[in-house]
Amino acid sequence: KKAVTHYATIDAAADRAALVALRPLTGRKHQLRVHLAAAGFPIVGDRKYGGQGATIDGVSPSLHLLCHTMRFPHPKTGRMLSVTAPIVGQFKETIDFFDFDIGALSAVEWPTD
């Protein structure tokens, strides 16, 4: 079945890792994980789709997939809602480890549908 994901590279640590924003336009099971692994860039800690290529020395082996911001229409009013989760725990530790510019996440401009 067709699945579409937009992506933007936020920051990179040479060829070791990248902080990537993802925007799924469809909702297939494991879509983001499958798309990145198929492109040759598995999500850190995704042993199911990324195998050994999903591990980085010095970084937690847990899956590094976080829904930081979600936007959707309110089911009754139709007004757009935006919910943002804090970046904490092992995901924050990895951001700090690579010194990624987390502030650049808010500057991502997605194509209009």
Side-chain angles (χ1 to χ4, degrees):
K1 293 183 177 184
K2 182 179 178 182
V4 179
T5 302
H6 289 168
Y7 70 94
T9 302
I10 305 303
D11 203 353
D15 63 349
R16 293 191 66 207
L19 177 62
V20 179
L22 302 168
R23 182 180 179 218
L25 299 185
T26 51
R28 304 283 178 233
K29 185 175 183 180
H30 298 183
Q31 174 178 326
L32 304 176
R33 296 167 65 188
V34 170
H35 280 170
L36 288 178
F41 307 104
I43 296 171
V44 173
D46 188 2
R47 292 181 296 275
K48 178 176 182 127
Y49 295 104
Q52 281 302 112
T55 60
I56 298 175
D57 289 338
V59 174
S60 168
S62 299
L63 183 64
H64 283 63
L65 185 59
L66 169 74
C67 180
H68 177 56
T69 302
M70 180 183 291
R71 293 180 186 89
F72 53 93
H74 187 281
K76 291 187 180 182
T77 68
R79 288 183 37 204
M80 288 303 291
L81 297 175
S82 181
V83 179
T84 301
I87 298 173
V88 297
Q90 55 97 21
F91 201 91
K92 174 77 166 93
E93 290 170 10
T94 301
I95 297 289
D96 293 343
F97 180 81
F98 287 110
D99 195 28
F100 285 143
D101 179 9
I102 198 67
L105 275 173
S106 60
V108 174
E109 292 187 27
W110 299 108
T112 56
D113 299 334

